[in-house]
Structure formats: structure tokens, C-alpha cells
Amino acid sequence: QVQLVESGGGLVQAGGSLRLSCAASGRTFSSYAMGWFRQAPGKEREFVAAISWNGGHTYYADSVKGRFTISRDNTKNTAYLQMNSLKPEDTAAYYCAGDQSPQYYSATTYSYWSQGTQVTVSS
């Protein structure tokens, strides 16, 4: 069993930055791929970014490529999402997710989820 606890959301002006953290319990974090997803009111949950178990591969949605960076520190059992040049359309609840062998872009293939944190970008 893996528990994911997320932090770092908040309110920021357009053009600003935030860093989300996702701390995992358990000894198996280093064997899990991690993903970040977001869901805005009235919209479906969408893929944002993902990273392989050792950080060797990263994947991004086109909408965030070049602005967001996903990373992980397996010694701290933590994954991160650095968000720069934020736009009002980035406003959503953000979730981290983990699984040993997910299809990176597909939310339904991740077994473990955080509680979510709100990111609001004002114009």
C-alpha cells in the first residue's frame, strides 16, 4: 500500500510559479512511476506530466511542455511538479498518482492517488 500526500498548491498571479510536492509512504516508491493530473470544474481529469521509476523518462502534455518540469527524489520518496509561467487556464485541482506499470497518459491505470491540491492562477 502506498499513500501519497500532496502539498504546495495555492493562489498565484499569471506568469508566476509554484512547486507541488508529492510525498509517498512505503518502501516501494522507487519502483513506481509517478504522474500528475489536473481537473478543472466541469471538465474531465487530464494528464499533465509523468516520470519513470528512476527519473530517466519524462512525459508532458502539450499544454504544459516547456513550462512545467516533473522530477523525483527517491531518497526522499517525493515527486515534484515545478510550474512556471502559469496561466489562468492552469487553474485546477492537481493530483499526483503512482503505479508500478501505468500507461503514463491514462489516469485509470494508476493505482494510488493523492488527495489533491488546488492551484488558482489569477489574470
Side-chain angles (χ1 to χ4, degrees):
Q1 189 77 7
V2 174
Q3 289 188 324
L4 303 176
V5 178
E6 195 176 349
S7 60
L11 173 65
V12 64
Q13 289 189 330
S17 298
L18 283 174
R19 188 175 82 156
L20 304 182
S21 298
C22 177
S25 64
R27 296 174 293 176
T28 58
F29 174 79
S30 60
S31 68
Y32 281 70
M34 299 298 294
W36 289 93
F37 292 80
R38 67 187 182 186
Q39 188 168 16
K43 295 188 176 181
E44 293 187 353
R45 189 167 298 192
E46 67 173 358
F47 170 78
V48 175
I51 189 166
S52 60
W53 66 275
N54 63 352
H57 298 278
T58 57
Y59 308 86
Y60 296 95
D62 288 343
S63 58
V64 306
K65 203 171 293 184
R67 299 187 299 121
F68 291 11
T69 302
I70 189 171
S71 62
R72 66 189 298 158
D73 185 342
N74 285 347
T75 66
K76 296 181 178 180
N77 280 10
T78 303
Y80 304 97
L81 185 68
Q82 177 66 43
M83 305 185 292
N84 298 330
S85 303
L86 283 161
K87 304 175 180 180
E89 51 264 44
D90 295 318
T91 295
Y94 283 71
Y95 301 85
C96 65
D99 197 272
Q100 287 189 309
S101 56
Q103 296 176 28
Y104 289 109
Y105 300 91
S106 173
T108 60
T109 64
Y110 288 81
S111 299
Y112 302 103
W113 288 85
S114 68
Q115 78 283 6
T117 190
Q118 180 66 33
V119 171
T120 302
V121 184
S122 63
S123 58

